[in-house]
């Protein structure tokens, strides 16, 4: 556990964030890092990394009270062709049922051999 805490602290960015490798991006990564630090008994009162993360998250809070982030907040900013995003949105819109739900499909993959993930196909 000590090594995991040290690793989390070592990869934290100077602004208090962590880079998210699986999601968009910094808020998502902070959630995982903070959950791990909390599991190790780290709190705002005994861990500088938690304090820095709290400050980072508070600076990002939106006027309406929530948090949000887009792919534009990732470090490697590049111009992207919006066509794939439009195709994905069209698929989601056309797949949605009248009641707002989406049809259940079979589990498509496993992540890190720890959980099964359901992805629409």
């Amino acid at each position: 556990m000590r090594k995991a805490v040290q690793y989390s602290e070592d990869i934290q960015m100077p602004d208090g964030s962590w880079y998210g490798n699986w999601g968009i991006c910094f808020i998502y990564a902070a959630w995982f890092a903070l959950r791990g630090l909390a599991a190790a008994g780290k709190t705002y009162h005994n861990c500088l990394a938690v304090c820095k993360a709290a400050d980072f998250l508070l600076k990002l809070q939106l006027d309406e009270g929530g948090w949000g982030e887009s792919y534009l907040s990732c470090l490697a900013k590049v111009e992207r062709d919006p066509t794939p995003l439009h195709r994905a949105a069209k698929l989601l819109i056309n797949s949605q049922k009248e009641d707002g739900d989406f049809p259940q499909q079979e589990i498509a993959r496993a992540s890190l051999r720890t959980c099964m993930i359901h992805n629409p196909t």
Side-chain angles (χ1 to χ4, degrees):
M1 186 70 84
R2 181 181 42 79
K3 287 183 179 182
V5 167
Q6 187 63 53
Y7 177 76
S8 293
E9 292 173 343
D10 289 347
I11 65 167
Q12 188 178 31
M13 297 187 168
D15 69 355
S17 68
W18 287 269
Y19 184 78
N21 293 302
W22 291 327
I24 298 176
C25 185
F26 300 100
I27 294 171
Y28 182 78
W31 172 60
F32 279 102
L34 289 169
R35 292 284 309 251
L37 291 170
K42 301 299 181 181
T43 69
Y44 188 85
H45 301 291
N46 67 11
C47 180
L48 180 59
V50 174
C51 293
K52 288 170 53 178
D55 291 342
F56 166 75
L57 291 169
L58 289 172
K59 286 177 189 169
L60 288 181
Q61 189 172 24
L62 302 174
D63 291 339
E64 45 103 80
W67 285 264
E69 195 169 20
S70 81
Y71 72 92
L72 296 174
S73 56
C74 295
L75 288 178
K77 294 182 181 179
V78 296
E79 287 296 318
R80 298 180 193 252
D81 177 3
T83 304
L85 296 174
H86 295 170
R87 287 180 52 225
K90 183 178 177 180
L91 172 68
L92 288 172
I93 291 166
N94 291 335
S95 297
Q96 193 170 22
K97 298 184 329 187
E98 289 294 321
D99 67 0
D101 200 0
F102 292 88
Q104 179 69 37
Q105 297 178 8
E106 65 184 278
I107 293 173
R109 61 189 173 108
S111 175
L112 301 175
R113 296 179 278 168
T114 60
C115 67
M116 303 305 285
I117 298 177
H118 173 281
N119 294 98
T121 54

